[in-house]
């Protein structure tokens, strides 16, 4: 029987088909071909094997974005390891939790963080990889080119999504999830070897890694690989590129530049937005300015991509996320009964298909509670289907803030604030922000006789919380609004503070 066509196998096919083609084009003018990348992958694979990685072992990565970091991802898949990418902004406390929960065999971290991680090491092998490919990971000269014969059901990656209650959960994605979703996207967006993608997203989330990188590798395309978002760098690349994939903040920022014109975009064929809602007004402003209708799609860590606006067989409608990808089913149901609702009614969005993850790492009960008996996954998003069959996301059933495409779970921040001796209780909410879509505000009730300052509360949580999660404002109040059941009314707080950042010049 032919081996399952994993992302790794599709990559090796491209290596054989077009070894000298550039996979990465870097800002300093260097190019890295498919053949060069395969060589780096085999060196890293040899190193991981020497470190004792066997199929099913987790390989964690917290490193700056580099081509070698993509090679580490591929090497992990090659040898049957399970890839665990971690946000570079995570602090010591956050890292300790992920490492303790996932128990990776190897952690690859940036050379300057080695000492921190070594402190918490428990049978963990530490390797280092810097922004320029420096560090221990690429020190050896050995090559390993045997490929683990992964099936569709074998785990390929674990990505942590914070929980609304309790612990962060590791979503286990299989080789089948990654490959099936990638193929559906290639087809939906007509992505081919002729494409040149501007890649400016981080590679520790599914958007930058499993959408942007996987599609490029499997199609045999090239990417202009930027370490981070930079408006001018992107505008300079537009005349040479064909596709940009970004979060809504990318588009809000591009629209601020006078250099964004129809001429600058004339070589481009596709602008994609996702990970957070794109304002209909930004969609319209972008179309008016460039002649391009941004294609908005909807996904999540547990499911990969679910729906997309059409590439060429229908209009791209602002404020909607389009229709299900081939192979994926989407329904809107009553949250309590699970009964499907008529089109037009707002309900809970559920999805089923080969893209949907296999479960949360070592949390069978949590996994079971998020699936219906018929296999549909409960996303926690609220939406409705419009007259043309397009899905519109209207809100979230889960207590979650999405800032610049990063998910932030209020519960995690509330727990830290509540630990402060001067705090009786707190409620953390997301309020509109002109650049990040939403931003975090903490509303705090002091302990009797106390008057904590914003500064001391922020300092108290700073060491344990990645910077992007830290509240941008703290409000001290006498009491939190509650309903008759005693539940904090966050909707009321969101309304009360809705204008805190509107009109802020960013
Ligand atoms: C950075 N900062 C943020 C932030 N990003 N604060 C809140 N929200 C964010 N998203 C803070 C930094 O801590 C720093 O704070 C200051 O802003 C500047 O940091 P920076 O590194 O210079 O930021 P910048 O490059 O401007 O980054 C903004 C951004 C970036 C929007 C380009 O956040 C980004 O690339 N976001 C993409 C996230 C992503 O890939 N999401 C996909 C998840 S997958 P200070 O105070 O120290 O100066 C998913 C599923 C799906 O959701 O459907 O795709
Ligand atoms: P994550 O857990 O980081 O994968 O984030 C997934 C969540 O991002 C989804 O459940 C949605 O709430 C949100 N999301 C992703 N894409 C969109 C979109 N196009 N519009 C609105 N929300 C989105």
């Amino acid at each position: 029987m032919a081996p399952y066509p994993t992302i790794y196998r599709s990559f090796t096919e491209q290596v054989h088909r077009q070894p000298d083609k550039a996979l990465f084009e870097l800002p300093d003018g260097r190019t890295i071909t498919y053949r060069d990348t395969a060589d780096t992958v085999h060196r890293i694979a040899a190193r991981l094997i020497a470190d004792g990685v066997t199929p099913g072992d987790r390989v964690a990565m917290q490193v700056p974005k580099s081509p070698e970091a993509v090679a580490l991802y591929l090497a992990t898949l090659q040898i049957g390891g399970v890839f665990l990418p971690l946000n570079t902004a995570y602090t010591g406390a956050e890292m300790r939790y992920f490492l303790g929960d996932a128990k990776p065999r190897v952690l690859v971290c940036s050379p300057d963080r080695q000492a921190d991680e070594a402190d918490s090491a428990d049978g963990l092998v530490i390797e280092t990889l810097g922004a320029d490919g420096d560090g221990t990971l690429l020190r050896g000269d050995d090559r390993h080119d045997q490929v683990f014969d992964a099936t569709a059901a074998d785990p390929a990656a674990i990505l942590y999504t914070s929980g609304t209650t309790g612990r962060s959960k590791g979503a286990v994605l299989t080789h089948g999830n990654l490959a099936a979703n990638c193929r559906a996207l290639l087809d939906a967006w007509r992505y081919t070897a002729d494409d040149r993608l501007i890649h400016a997203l981080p590679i520790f989330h599914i958007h930058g890694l499993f959408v942007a990188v996987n599609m490029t590798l499997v199609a045999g395309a090239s990417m202009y690989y930027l370490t981070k978002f930079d408006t001018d760098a992107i505008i300079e690349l537009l005349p040479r590129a064909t596709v940009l994939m970004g979060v809504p903040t990318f588009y809000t920022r591009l629209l601020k530049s006078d250099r964004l014109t129809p001429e600058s975009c004339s070589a481009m064929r596709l602008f994609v937005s996702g990970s957070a809602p794109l304002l209909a007004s930004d969609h319209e402003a972008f179309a008016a300015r460039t002649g391009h209708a941004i294609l908005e799609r909807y996904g999540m860590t547990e499911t990969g991509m679910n729906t997309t606006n059409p590439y060429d067989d229908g209009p791209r409608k602002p404020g909607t996320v389009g229709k299900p990808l081939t192979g994926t089913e989407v329904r809107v149901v009553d949250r309590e009964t699970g009964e499907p609702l008529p089109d037009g009614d707002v309900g809970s969005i559920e999805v089923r298909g080969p893209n949907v993850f296999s479960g949360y790492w070592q949390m069978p009960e949590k996994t079971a509670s998020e699936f219906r008996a018929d296999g549909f996954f409960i996303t926690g998003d609220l939406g409705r289907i419009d007259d043309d069959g397009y899905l519109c996301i209207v809100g979230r059933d889960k207590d979650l803030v999405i800032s610049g495409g990063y998910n932030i779970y209020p519960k995690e921040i509330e727990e830290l604030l509540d630990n402060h001796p001067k705090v009786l209780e707190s409620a953390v909410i997301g309020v509109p922000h002109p650049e990040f879509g939403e931003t975090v505000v903490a509303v705090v009730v002091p302990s009797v006789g106390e008057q904590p300052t914003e500064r001391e509360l922020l300092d108290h949580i700073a060491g344990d919380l990645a910077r992007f999660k830290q509240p941008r404002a703290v409000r001290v109040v006498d009491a939190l609004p509650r309903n008759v059941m005693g539940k904090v009314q966050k909707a009321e707080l969101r309304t009360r503070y809705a204008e805190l950042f509107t009109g802020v010049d960013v």
Side-chain angles (χ1 to χ4, degrees), residues 13-25:
E13 271 171 32
Q14 296 300 347
V15 175
H16 292 124
R17 193 171 295 155
Q18 37 181 8
D20 297 319
K21 178 164 180 175
L23 170 53
F24 298 95
E25 304 227 15

Side-chain angles (χ1 to χ4, degrees), residues 27 30 40 143 217 248 280 302 316 357 429 435 451 461 489:
R30 273 188 308 140
T40 308
R143 307 283 192 280
L217 296 171
E302 288 92 332
R316 297 178 197 162
F357 76 138
I429 53 167
E435 183 168 359
Q451 241 350 292
I461 60 179
Q489 297 300 84

Side-chain angles (χ1 to χ4, degrees), residues 275-277 296-297 299-301 321 381 393 396 398 402 407:
S275 307
E296 186 169 6
R297 76 355 172 235
M300 63 188 300
T301 302
V321 292
D381 291 312
I393 299 177
R396 293 172 213 133
K398 48 195 175 193
I402 305 184
N407 283 8

Side-chain angles (χ1 to χ4, degrees), residues 312-325:
D312 54 12
D313 49 0
R316 297 178 197 162
K317 291 173 50 172
T320 80
V321 292
K323 296 183 181 183
L325 286 163

Side-chain angles (χ1 to χ4, degrees), residues 265-426:
C265 297
S266 60
M268 291 289 289
R269 69 171 188 87
L270 181 61
F271 291 90
V272 180
S273 177
S275 307
L278 176 72
L279 289 175
S281 54
D282 277 353
H283 184 288
E284 281 148 12
F286 200 87
R289 182 87 80 79
T290 66
H292 285 272
I294 298 172
L295 181 153
E296 186 169 6
R297 76 355 172 235
Y298 159 58
M300 63 188 300
T301 302
E302 288 92 332
T303 64
M305 299 302 106
N306 297 312
T307 67
T308 179
N309 266 279
Y311 181 70
D312 54 12
D313 49 0
R316 297 178 197 162
K317 291 173 50 172
T320 80
V321 292
K323 296 183 181 183
L325 286 163
T326 305
T328 298
E329 298 165 85
V330 175
R331 69 184 184 191
V332 173
V333 305
D334 179 288
R335 178 72 180 90
E336 299 312 320
T337 63
E339 283 303 311
L341 294 171
D343 287 357
D345 284 10
V346 172
S348 165
I349 301 173
E350 302 187 345
V351 293
R352 181 167 72 177
N355 54 314
V356 177
F357 76 138
S358 61
Y360 294 112
W361 172 250
Q362 293 184 335
M363 287 186 175
E365 282 163 18
K366 185 73 198 161
T367 303
S369 70
E370 304 288 308
F371 280 90
R372 300 278 181 196
D374 59 4
F376 272 85
F377 173 66
I378 304 167
T379 62
D381 291 312
L382 300 174
R384 64 180 169 82
I385 309 281
D386 78 4
D387 292 343
D388 299 317
Y390 286 47
L391 180 67
C392 312
I393 299 177
V394 300
R396 293 172 213 133
D397 209 10
K398 48 195 175 193
D399 193 12
L400 163 70
V401 180
I402 305 184
S403 166
Y406 285 141
N407 283 8
I408 300 165
Y409 284 85
K411 185 83 191 158
E412 188 181 359
I413 307 166
E414 289 161 3
E415 279 173 2
L416 288 170
L417 286 169
D418 293 351
N419 277 340
H420 192 284
K422 292 189 182 172
V423 173
L424 181 67
E425 61 173 351
S426 61

